[in-house]
Amino acid sequence: MPTAEESRILALACGAPVFHLLRTAYGIDGTLVEVCHTVMAADSFVLSYTLPASRTATR
């Protein structure tokens, strides 16, 4: 459930849930290159991801 600030910023109706999406991306050498934290209204989005297979597992 959202914090009071998230509800205010996103103009959510009382009791509306949110998604907290945390995505981390790594370079081919394993170096962290990006962190993205997104908060979105759960009733407004459908999340769908297609991730390419890696030839070499680094984690």
Side-chain angles (χ1 to χ4, degrees):
M1 296 306 290
T3 64
E5 183 179 20
E6 290 166 344
S7 290
R8 181 183 57 76
I9 291 170
L10 296 173
L12 298 174
C14 184
V18 293
F19 284 121
H20 279 257
L21 176 64
L22 180 62
R23 184 175 65 87
T24 55
Y26 296 90
I28 209 158
D29 63 352
T31 303
L32 177 66
V33 294
E34 179 182 12
V35 176
C36 179
H37 179 215
T38 305
V39 179
M40 61 193 95
D43 63 349
S44 299
F45 294 89
V46 173
L47 303 181
S48 176
Y49 282 85
T50 302
L51 301 173
S54 174
R55 294 193 321 211
T56 311
T58 58
R59 302 225 174 250

